[in-house]
Amino acid sequence: MTHTTSFGEAGFQMTTVTTTASRALSGAVTGARRQVGLVVRSRIAGDDAAAGRQRIWHSEGERWNDPGDAICRVNGDASMFAAGLTALLLQSLHPLAMAGVADHSDYRGDPWGRLQRTSGFIATTTFGTIADACDLIRTINGVHRSVVGVDHRGRPYDARDPHLLRWVHVAEIWSFLECHRLYGRERLSPGLRDDYVRQSARTGLMLGARDVPTTARELDRALEGYLPELESSPAALDARHFILDEPPVGWTDKPVYTLLRHGAVAALPRWARGMLELPDGPRGSHRLGVVVGRTGVATLRWVLDAVDD
């Protein structure tokens, strides 16, 4: 007896095959996303990223900040990938602060190690226990005792100088908040922007800065107040070249890094781009730079969301 397959049966079989293939493809994409996310996280947090995450986010102890606080929303967002580059470029424009980095930092010899230490500091002081945050701040204050010298013009610098520490804090917090405004997952209300600046002030004060801003308007004024002291020193231009033109990334990382690079530059104040001899954006378009940066941040957010799922 011959069995003839009806159109309905054939359609059902084809649908089953298509569904199975779709599920397999979806599973492969999810697996690839997760693998890339784990690689990115290890780059930023080190080979012991899982242990560090457990210690910072899940260890027992009182914390300064609640998950819904503005500082957690900003510092936990993928926009921080661009913001870190923006902050480094902006901070480099103070010749005394940049001289201290050039003379005492190993950012060229071990750029990933420096990035991991910086991201660890931000994560610990934002999400970690108060005890761990205070221990880390004490350690950094101890390291700063030996960071002294002179810049390219022979002017002395000391990493414990409250005025320089205030510059580093202001440039960093301004960069984080601006990149979140441009590339963040959610918009912050004016009140939440003020909350972010106020909540971030604690760490700046504990590191030795004085008269730190506590509102977004004060933050803008503080940044502009440093303008007479800023310049494109040889060390600043060298750092810009290293960060933007010769980054320590492999060919697989370069496409997304290029997107982030444009986003970081677009977030800088126009006067900072001028000092660093940078264009407003790809093809001279600032708007295009923002679009490109938003694409890079969204891509990283997409792969990291797979790790957190």
Side-chain angles (χ1 to χ4, degrees):
M1 180 176 178
T2 303
H3 177 75
T4 303
T5 302
S6 69
F7 287 117
E9 289 174 322
F12 176 78
Q13 291 170 358
M14 185 175 296
T15 300
T16 301
V17 170
T18 302
T19 301
T20 301
S22 296
R23 287 174 178 169
L25 179 60
S26 176
V29 170
T30 299
R33 276 179 65 194
R34 180 172 175 78
Q35 187 59 39
V36 172
L38 290 171
V39 170
V40 171
R41 179 167 288 174
S42 68
R43 281 289 200 183
I44 302 303
D47 294 334
D48 59 345
R53 184 174 179 81
Q54 178 66 31
R55 183 183 68 255
I56 292 171
W57 273 271
H58 302 295
S59 59
E60 294 291 331
E62 186 179 0
R63 287 164 167 77
W64 281 322
N65 308 305
D66 293 323
D69 286 347
I71 191 171
C72 293
R73 297 188 192 188
V74 174
N75 291 359
D77 190 82
S79 59
M80 290 289 284
F81 286 96
L85 298 178
T86 301
L88 289 174
L89 293 168
L90 188 55
Q91 289 169 342
S92 76
L93 288 172
H94 198 294
L96 300 182
M98 188 60 222
V101 172
D103 293 345
H104 298 272
S105 168
D106 59 349
Y107 80 91
R108 273 189 169 277
D110 184 21
W112 288 112
R114 177 176 170 78
L115 175 63
Q116 289 159 11
R117 289 188 292 275
T118 300
S119 65
F121 174 79
I122 294 169
T124 299
T125 55
T126 303
F127 303 101
T129 65
I130 293 175
D132 285 346
C134 289
D135 285 345
L136 190 51
I137 290 171
R138 276 193 293 270
T139 298
I140 292 174
N141 285 337
V143 171
H144 282 171
R145 295 192 188 100
S146 62
V147 181
V148 296
V150 295
D151 74 352
H152 67 295
R153 299 184 191 277
R155 295 170 294 192
Y157 65 80
D158 186 328
R160 296 168 297 177
D161 179 353
H163 185 67
L164 285 183
L165 289 165
R166 181 175 182 266
W167 161 251
V168 172
H169 174 79
V170 165
E172 180 177 88
I173 299 308
W174 187 92
S175 299
F176 293 175
L177 194 57
E178 178 65 4
C179 281
H180 189 274
R181 183 183 73 83
L182 294 172
Y183 314 125
R185 190 193 295 267
E186 60 176 333
R187 287 279 184 176
L188 293 183
S189 67
L192 285 174
R193 287 172 61 83
D194 287 342
D195 286 346
Y196 177 74
V197 179
R198 176 179 53 79
Q199 290 162 1
S200 300
R202 177 191 291 110
T203 301
L205 291 169
M206 292 181 70
L207 286 170
R210 296 291 178 267
D211 190 30
V212 298
T214 55
T215 68
R217 180 174 295 182
E218 289 178 3
L219 182 66
D220 289 338
R221 285 202 300 259
L223 185 71
E224 292 174 3
Y226 277 92
L227 266 171
E229 303 173 38
L230 307 183
E231 63 178 82
S232 53
S233 66
L237 294 177
D238 183 62
R240 181 217 68 185
H241 181 70
F242 179 73
I243 293 169
L244 300 181
D245 302 326
E246 294 183 352
V249 297
W251 67 269
T252 55
D253 303 323
K254 268 193 174 177
V256 172
Y257 189 90
T258 298
L259 301 179
L260 292 176
R261 169 198 187 280
H262 286 300
V265 171
L268 286 167
R270 189 166 191 175
W271 50 259
R273 292 196 296 273
M275 287 184 180
L276 291 169
E277 302 173 10
L278 293 167
D280 285 339
R283 302 178 183 176
S285 170
H286 179 256
R287 178 176 296 180
L288 182 57
V290 172
V291 171
V292 171
R294 189 171 294 135
T295 301
V297 170
T299 300
L300 283 174
R301 181 180 293 120
W302 182 70
V303 299
L304 288 170
D305 281 349
V307 177
D308 295 332
D309 287 345

